[in-house]
Amino acid sequence: ETGVTQSPTHLIKTRGQQVTLRCSSQSGHNTVSWYQQALGQGPQFIFQYYREEENGRGNFPPRFSGLQFPNYSSELNVNALELDDSALYLCASSPGTIRSYEQYFGPGTRLTVT
Amino acid sequence: GQQLNQSPQSMFIQEGEDVSMNCTSSSIFNTWLWYKQDPGEGPVLLIALYKAGELTSNGRLTAQFGITRKDSFLNISASIPSDVGIYFCAGSFNDMRFGAGTRLTVKP
């Protein structure tokens, strides 16, 4: 059983640019959630996708957007990058059943905005 | 911002000692979860709790879902060096909220 994978591992962007992060969910999982984790903090919920539809969103501006594909992989897009967007971005998948909060995390993408 | 208060922020203990950490919230949650995160990795699920009052063990780890649904604790018995890491509580109602973490250091 393959776990959650994310790409790229690290990324450096300039303020104002756009970025796309990718996530492949664990086999058999149809729900993907994205989190932002600032240094020294716990993960903060960005949004969740279930069967290709957004299924809940945290307190993040519209320049954070996402997609889920038929194979349940997912993308996180961030437009007009700001310095405060520098963080570890985590993707988590879950089976979408009654125990959908048992989320399994990928290793994350470390984004640095300069 | 975070809605969960996790304490303590950090702990320095001797190998073999027991550890206790907890999480409180002003809101009720339907689910409490505990995760551990090692440097450079994503959080790993340790225990999930689905019912108020539920007490669940996973090896040397024991966690409880508070009766008020606003708190949870995690105990680690007989700590070992590989227990080092950051422990996060998380609560869910409509989405998932994480605490700020407890950084555990175990001295051999």
Side-chain angles (χ1 to χ4, degrees), chain B residues 3 11 20 25 41 45 48 68:
Chain B
Q3 294 184 353
M11 302 183 76
S20 185
S25 170
E41 298 183 15
L45 179 64
T68 65

Side-chain angles (χ1 to χ4, degrees), chain A residues 35 37 40-45 55-59 88 90 98-108, chain B residues 1-2 31 33 35 37 40-45 48 50 88 92-101 103:
Chain A
Y35 293 83
Q37 186 176 23
Q41 298 292 318
Q44 279 199 279
F45 176 69
N55 183 42
R57 189 178 181 94
N59 190 25
L88 181 68
L90 294 161
I98 193 169
R99 296 192 177 268
S100 64
Y101 286 107
E102 292 182 15
Q103 298 184 354
Y104 296 84
F105 284 82
Chain B
Q2 303 290 352
T31 306
L33 305 103
Y35 285 86
Q37 187 173 27
E41 298 183 15
V44 173
L45 179 64
Y50 289 92
F88 290 101
S92 72
F93 192 80
N94 291 318
D95 59 25
M96 187 95 88
R97 303 295 172 111
F98 280 77
R103 183 179 294 273

Side-chain angles (χ1 to χ4, degrees), chain A residues 75-100:
Chain A
E75 284 182 356
L76 165 66
N77 298 292
V78 187
N79 293 323
L81 284 166
E82 301 176 0
L83 297 179
D84 283 350
D85 295 333
S86 294
L88 181 68
Y89 287 85
L90 294 161
C91 165
S93 74
S94 53
T97 64
I98 193 169
R99 296 192 177 268
S100 64

